[in-house]
Amino acid sequence: MVRTFFLGIAVLLSGCQHDSSQHQLLDGEAGELSVLLFTSTDCPIANALVPEFKRLQTEVEEHGGSLTCVHTWQTRTTDEIEKHEVEYGFYPESFVDTKHELVNHFNVTVTPEVVVMLFDEHASPQLMYQGKINNLFDSPGNRRDRATEHYAEDAIRNAMNGISISPDYRKPVGCIIEQMND
Amino acid sequence: MIELLLCAIQESQQPTWHNDIYPLMLSHCQECHDGHGAGPFELLTYESVSNRASFIVELLDAKLMPPWLPSQKGLPLQGERCMSEQQIELFKSWVSNGKLKGEGPEIIVCNEEPNTYKLSGQTNPQTPWIIPAESGIRWHEGVLDKRTFVLPIGNSGTVKANKVVYQTTAPQAVQMVGFVFDGSGQGVEVDNWDAEPGYEMMGDIGWVPSGVHGKIGPGSGGIHIPKGYYIEIPTESHLIAETHFRPTGKEEQLSSSVRIWETSESDARKLLPILTMIRRIVLEPEEQHAVEGESIQLEHDVDVVGITPRAGAECESMRLSATMPEGKEVILLDIQKWDPHYGETVFLESPVRLPMGSVITSRWVYNNSASNPRNPFNPSKNVDLARRTGIAHFILHSAAAESNDEEAILAWNLKLLRQRQRPTNNSNE
């Protein structure tokens, strides 16, 4: 696990606590929880989960952790993301992963996909859970009326108590992220 | 088109966006993915398609896009959306050859309907219905993702309609919409019970099933009655629109409007509904491969022009077939992977004559296990549902071979409906 991962190229979009263009997304304090939500503003599968994202955000922030949306569409603009935030009433910390550094670092394949990290006593990030957020979608085109299992929520609750869950990876269902050509 | 594409492959030219892919998007995706319709994004620019090419390949392989439920086992249908294997291969070869752009003009597509409609109606745009951001409300143990709206048409006489175009302000959230043109005033009466737009009940009006005047799926935008036929809109009608929606993650404001075109053909024939159905369905928890169905025998010669399917989320597949008096069997419609959201009315490529004495057989396969992702209940529960117009049905939109049989056919259909309604302890009615 990489200790610190500098995202010099990431475009910081909102959230006043970070005013540096070099966001240390994989940097945190011991015991802190960090959740990355890989998403895309026009993926209908990710959008259908926005109400769940909001609940996760509340949960994480109540416990002093942070939740960040990582936009996987390389050319997504600040305007587009802000418009989406207003439409959905969801105002997370947001990044555009213009060079797919985070996507490649975590081998993220689709949106939406979650990464739950807990910083250990050495302030080094431990991966607690990655993958599917809930079971609203069984596969693209196979959608339940509502989710009956909430994997990300379970992982976050456990992680807050320092417990990792099993399985710690579930294959996510969503819009496949196009590999970059270069 | 297919020949053209085959040529392109044979000459082993590398496919390009302008020569090959853009035309494919126009013919198979633009209907919904023009940026304003049912699809979540436009698929008419190089950037948009090339940036999700791998995802598109997966959906094409899984036959999920373009959405089209009927299988090739049934009769040929008008407007089949499915892509041929060659077309899918062409798209894949474009991707594996580096998604070349090529050169060509950007074409602007204009899909405006001519403004020659006869009638129109709309819900009150001042009081839109709010579609919630996600599902959750339940009503009578069912999932409440539908609402019936009443659109006043107010025609002073009957109208012979051959086209109905329906628009909503929430095209991505609205899925299937079933239509009844109601001249009885019952729909508007129910709507007036409270000040909210629309009502929670289904869109059936008495014995008349929702969908009797057609059912649309996402993107189809309307009903186009084949040449030579019409649907009759009674005097002083209201359009009863049973509207199913699928929340998109944000609240959406729903208003809808309808425009109706009149046929200019003096010899067009009226479409009548013939219903075959299962009135009640009883399933044990975890029950799979439960087969339900019925057979009815025609008392008059009819031409079947279109078919509207109905079934709940636990249904996996369905088939409608007919056995002619001399024993020949025709599969009218076959759906292997049912999805109620896409259960739209389909019209046969050419109408099929079913003589008096033909037996129409319908068959539905249900899966009530929790492993069926469409099952709203996990763990699965007992299912015991009934609807007087059929918890599952096919509406055969048919014309009487002899026009003076029309009344008799309607009376026969109503007689069957009443018979099925009789209380019985036997669920295999």
Side-chain angles (χ1 to χ4, degrees), chain B residues 205-388:
Chain B
I205 299 290
W207 294 107
V208 180
S210 176
V212 79
H213 294 125
K215 203 158 89 171
I216 59 169
S220 63
I223 305 288
H224 297 254
I225 307 289
K227 207 171 154 359
Y229 302 92
Y230 70 87
I231 51 173
E232 187 174 86
I233 302 193
T235 310
E236 290 295 327
S237 263
H238 288 84
L239 173 60
I240 313 302
E242 182 181 301
T243 309
H244 293 236
F245 37 84
R246 191 144 65 176
T248 56
K250 64 176 178 195
E251 267 187 13
E252 305 234 25
Q253 304 206 346
L254 173 67
S255 305
S256 22
S257 65
V258 66
R259 285 173 294 159
I260 300 150
W261 277 256
E262 191 178 30
T263 178
S264 57
E265 298 171 290
S266 55
D267 55 349
R269 295 158 68 199
K270 180 157 101 178
L271 290 182
L272 312 167
I274 295 177
L275 246 83
T276 182
M277 62 158 162
I278 35 176
R279 197 188 68 82
R280 175 176 173 212
I281 176 129
V282 180
L283 298 169
E284 300 285 315
E286 285 305 313
E287 191 173 346
Q288 294 186 37
H289 310 298
V291 180
E292 301 276 339
E294 73 161 10
S295 292
I296 55 172
Q297 188 165 28
L298 284 177
E299 294 182 359
H300 305 87
D301 294 2
V302 297
D303 291 318
V304 180
V305 178
I307 302 160
T308 300
R310 172 196 283 178
E314 302 88 357
C315 176
E316 284 189 324
S317 65
M318 55 177 69
R319 177 176 286 188
L320 174 69
S321 47
T323 310
M324 312 279 193
E326 81 278 15
K328 187 181 151 218
E329 200 196 336
V330 207
I331 299 174
L332 299 169
L333 182 69
D334 177 79
I335 294 178
Q336 306 272 325
K337 278 193 194 155
W338 169 246
D339 179 347
H341 292 291
Y342 286 104
E344 64 202 297
T345 301
V346 290
F347 291 102
L348 302 178
E349 187 66 39
S350 39
V352 57
R353 167 71 50 99
L354 298 183
M356 183 177 108
S358 299
V359 175
I360 298 172
T361 306
S362 52
R363 189 174 179 274
W364 287 265
V365 179
Y366 277 80
N367 177 354
N368 189 32
S369 75
S371 64
N372 175 2
R374 298 231 167 78
N375 191 336
F377 299 106
N378 181 6
S380 70
K381 287 190 177 180
N382 264 315
V383 169
D384 186 353
L385 296 166
R387 197 167 164 180
R388 58 152 64 171

Side-chain angles (χ1 to χ4, degrees), chain B residues 123 128-131 149 168-170 174 243 245 252-256:
Chain B
T123 56
W129 175 249
I130 308 297
I131 299 179
F149 298 99
T168 82
T169 51
V174 169
T243 309
F245 37 84
E252 305 234 25
Q253 304 206 346
L254 173 67
S255 305
S256 22

